[in-house]
Structure formats: structure tokens, C-alpha cells
Amino acid sequence: MTTVQTHTGTPTQADAPTGTDTHTDTDRDAELKALAEQAGRDLEDASALEILQWAVKTFGKQFCVTSSMEDAVVAHLASRANPGVDVVFLDTGYHFPETIGTRDAVEAVMDVNVITLTPRQSVAEQDAEYGPRLHDRDPDLCCALRKVAPLEQGLTKYRAWATGLRRDESPTRADTPVVGWDEKRRKVKISPIARWTQDDVDAYVSEHGVLTNPLLMDGYPSVGCAPCTRRVLEGEDARAGRWSGSAKTECGLHG
């Protein structure tokens, strides 16, 4: 497993994707955006595996999968399309032990290359600068420091990345394209299971014996950082346990 400590701030020239000048980079981005939008239309009815096979054929080593280790469904699918595929995991320093255990198990049993990204500061260093329990006082800033900035740095060498977003998870994800353009990061963003339901996920897990986070069977249908995740009560939405009691619904990784 590779562990990469990331930093915050504006990427340096060494961090930036190779390019000769601003005009060339702008042209490249326009081409990638057009490619993503066309693929989103063409692949809307394709299977998740076909979508990932297209991604591998199109981007090769400049394609990766990101995983929160809630389950390893997309990582498993991607390993079928491209054995040894890079699977990027954000270790925020606040994860449940079960989540770290799932990451370690995925690395041990699946044909993937797990890359763990860590924030610039440890939790203790962040507490010293911003005060303890920043996640309670300013969860958006905490997510920005421990999730968003590390991911942006970690994705620098890739032109396309895959996520496990599904349209049925929440209203904010209802329009997720199977292939789209990540305007913020200037990359192609692939959501191969966007059209899946929870039943589809469960069926795939059962058929292929895919690893899942043990917390999914312990009242946590959506697993995030431990301080900001609680068990969901009967009748609640699957993501009701994330940032409970606040208006926050997303960590910032997806818009």
C-alpha cells in the first residue's frame, strides 16, 4: 500500500499535469469536457463494467478509482476491467477502525493498488492550529482540510476518476451522470453505478463476495468519519446519520 501525505494551497508547477502552455491546457480541457459529455450520453444505458472498460481504454494509467471503503463494489468492478487499478482512499484521521480494516482487507484480497492519501496536518496538529473538534464547530472547513484538499492533490496525475455515487442515495445526487465533467478539478468523473439501486449493490456483493464495511450491518447505511456519523433510526433516510443535526449533506468532494 502506498501512503501519500498531501498539502493544501495552490498546486505548484510540479504538481500540475504536464502541458506546454495555458492555451494547450485550455484546449485539452475543452476536449476532455466534450469527451465526457458525449460518453455520458453514449454510455447511459451501458453496464457498470462496460463503463469502466471504456474508462480504462480511454485513460489507461491516468484513471483511478476512489473509495470511502463503505464497500468495495466499484473497486471490485474496476479490478475486473483493469487488474491492478489504482484505488485511492482518503485517511482523514477520523475513520472508524472498521473502515481502516476494510481498506486493509481490500488491499489484501483484491487485485488493486491501494493508495492512501493523508492530510497535510495530523489531527493533533489541526487541533493545535484551529482548536479541538473543528468538525463540530466548522464541519465544512474540517472536510476541506481533511478530504477535499488531499483529494485534489492526490488526483493531480490522473485525468479521470471513478466514484461510487448513486442517484438513489439523495436528492443532491439524483442527476449524477455515468460519465461527466468535474469542472472544479478539470477532470472526467465516472460514476459507473449511478443508475444502480441499493438492491443492485446488495445483489452484486452477494454474487461476487465483495468486501463491505462491517458497520453497514450495525445500523450505519452510510459510513463517514466517526465524529460526524451516527446510526440511522428506523424510517430515516440512509444518509440521515451523516452530519446529523446540521444542514450539511455533502463533504465537498462531489460539489
Side-chain angles (χ1 to χ4, degrees):
M1 176 176 61
T2 302
T3 300
V4 180
Q5 185 180 54
T6 58
H7 57 82
T8 58
T10 303
T12 65
Q13 185 61 41
D15 294 321
T18 302
T20 56
D21 54 43
T22 302
H23 178 72
T24 301
D25 289 345
T26 300
D27 288 347
R28 183 208 65 193
D29 288 350
E31 291 172 0
L32 281 175
K33 181 177 181 179
L35 173 71
E37 292 174 347
Q38 184 63 51
R41 293 187 289 269
D42 293 344
L43 296 171
E44 169 63 21
D45 296 323
S47 70
L49 185 58
E50 288 170 335
I51 294 167
L52 287 165
Q53 288 170 334
W54 169 86
V56 171
K57 181 179 179 180
T58 304
F59 299 104
K61 291 187 178 298
Q62 291 185 313
F63 166 73
C64 72
V65 174
T66 57
S67 178
S68 67
M69 297 301 166
E70 183 173 288
D71 61 53
V73 168
V74 175
H76 185 274
L77 279 161
S79 73
R80 294 170 61 193
N82 181 25
V85 65
D86 286 352
V87 174
V88 175
F89 170 71
L90 290 169
D91 186 353
T92 65
Y94 282 122
H95 282 304
F96 291 97
E98 290 89 345
T99 300
I100 300 300
T102 301
R103 177 204 61 186
D104 294 345
V106 165
E107 181 187 29
V109 306
M110 290 177 55
D111 192 358
V112 298
N113 176 39
V114 175
I115 298 173
T116 295
L117 304 179
T118 61
R120 177 178 62 87
Q121 294 178 311
S122 67
V123 170
E125 290 168 339
Q126 179 175 292
D127 287 350
E129 180 171 348
Y130 295 95
R133 302 188 68 81
L134 179 64
H135 46 76
D136 289 346
R137 294 178 286 104
D138 192 341
D140 287 338
L141 177 57
C142 190
C143 284
L145 294 171
R146 309 206 71 77
K147 289 186 175 182
V148 178
L151 183 66
E152 289 181 356
Q153 293 299 313
L155 290 181
T156 299
K157 69 177 182 178
Y158 303 102
R159 291 196 175 184
W161 62 300
T163 79
L165 294 180
R166 301 200 324 269
R167 295 169 185 168
D168 72 338
E169 290 179 306
S170 69
T172 60
R173 300 180 176 185
D175 296 324
T176 299
V178 294
V179 181
W181 178 243
D182 183 348
E183 189 71 40
K184 181 178 181 181
R185 299 178 181 89
R186 315 299 295 174
K187 299 182 187 298
V188 177
K189 184 175 180 180
I190 299 154
S191 302
I193 63 171
R195 294 184 294 109
W196 285 23
T197 65
Q198 186 60 54
D199 287 343
D200 293 326
V201 173
D202 293 343
Y204 187 88
V205 167
S206 177
E207 179 182 356
H208 296 278
V210 176
L211 288 162
T212 61
N213 194 312
L215 293 172
L216 295 178
M217 303 299 293
D218 191 25
Y220 294 88
S222 180
V223 182
C225 292
C228 300
T229 307
R230 65 160 174 81
R231 289 181 175 85
V232 170
L233 303 176
E234 186 176 354
E236 284 188 317
D237 181 82
R239 288 180 61 84
R242 305 290 296 276
W243 304 287
S244 180
S246 75
K248 185 175 175 64
T249 59
E250 296 283 354
C251 61
L253 295 179
H254 304 293

